[in-house]
Amino acid sequence: TAIIKKFGSKSRALRKGGKPPKIKQQGVALSNQIIKDYPISDKEITLTDRATVGLKVRVSPLGNKTFYFYYSFNTIRRKFKIGSANKYTLQEARKMVKKFRGQVDNGIDPQETKIKKRVEAKEEKATNRAKRKAKSDAVKNILRNYLDEIYYPHINRDAGH
């Protein structure tokens, strides 16, 4: 597989069920194939992309692979979950990290932006729900008035004859 070819002499350890190769902190030239084929370990492993500053892939013991953007904002180290490697390709994650890096450079925290968008979406949903309920109540009132003022009196008049 690509992972065995990539890490050369470490392939024997992988074939014998040994530990995955250690990746130096400076990162690896990641590819979709390396991410897909990276072996599962009993500990969580973080792969750092050499090509894009701040992009990392966390590999869980269950085999879930998730892209993260690690950055500093106002001297505070933060991490921003981009999403699953099943949902996004490496190229898409790199594009997102470049966009987020631009936001950070312009004094905008991507995490705060994400939270604001989520709150706005919830508020919009609640507003739309209230509008639908108001329309529904108006229709009910019109129907109730029709029944009370026209239909029931007509029925009662016809029943009396």
Side-chain angles (χ1 to χ4, degrees):
T1 64
I3 195 79
I4 291 173
K5 290 176 189 168
K6 175 71 180 164
F7 296 109
S9 64
K10 302 282 185 178
S11 64
R12 274 180 257 113
L14 288 175
R15 277 192 227 118
K16 293 179 182 180
K19 294 180 182 176
K22 289 195 176 195
I23 295 180
K24 296 177 184 171
Q25 190 59 32
Q26 71 262 20
V28 172
L30 290 176
S31 70
N32 287 318
Q33 196 64 43
I34 288 175
I35 294 169
K36 181 182 171 220
D37 292 344
Y38 198 81
I40 299 169
S41 173
D42 58 340
K43 294 180 183 175
E44 188 170 90
I45 297 169
T46 301
L47 307 174
T48 303
D49 186 24
R50 187 182 309 150
T52 308
V53 175
L55 178 62
K56 297 186 182 201
V57 180
R58 291 172 69 184
V59 182
S60 78
L62 297 175
N64 298 323
K65 296 163 184 160
T66 309
F67 290 111
Y68 281 88
F69 171 48
Y70 284 74
Y71 63 102
S72 292
F73 189 78
N74 292 337
T75 68
I76 299 170
R77 302 266 308 138
R78 304 206 61 185
K79 68 181 174 187
F80 180 88
K81 182 178 177 181
I82 296 171
S84 169
N86 293 331
K87 184 176 181 181
Y88 298 105
T89 65
L90 178 61
Q91 289 71 24
E92 291 169 331
R94 284 176 174 161
K95 277 185 186 177
M96 286 187 232
V97 165
K98 286 178 183 171
K99 180 181 114 182
F100 297 144
R101 174 67 56 207
Q103 289 177 349
V104 170
D105 292 344
N106 290 322
I108 300 167
D109 186 358
Q111 196 78 19
E112 293 298 321
T113 304
K114 180 180 179 182
I115 291 168
K116 284 179 187 174
K117 284 182 182 178
R118 190 178 295 151
V119 167
E120 288 170 2
K122 282 184 180 181
E123 288 172 354
E124 184 178 345
K125 192 174 181 181
T127 301
N128 290 339
R129 191 178 309 123
K131 286 179 183 177
R132 283 193 309 274
K133 184 172 180 351
K135 283 181 182 177
S136 174
D137 289 346
V139 169
K140 285 178 188 175
N141 287 336
I142 291 169
L143 183 57
R144 193 171 292 121
N145 288 339
Y146 169 77
L147 291 173
D148 290 343
E149 295 174 13
I150 298 171
Y151 185 73
Y152 293 138
H154 179 71
I155 296 292
N156 291 339
R157 188 184 65 201
D158 289 346
H161 290 304

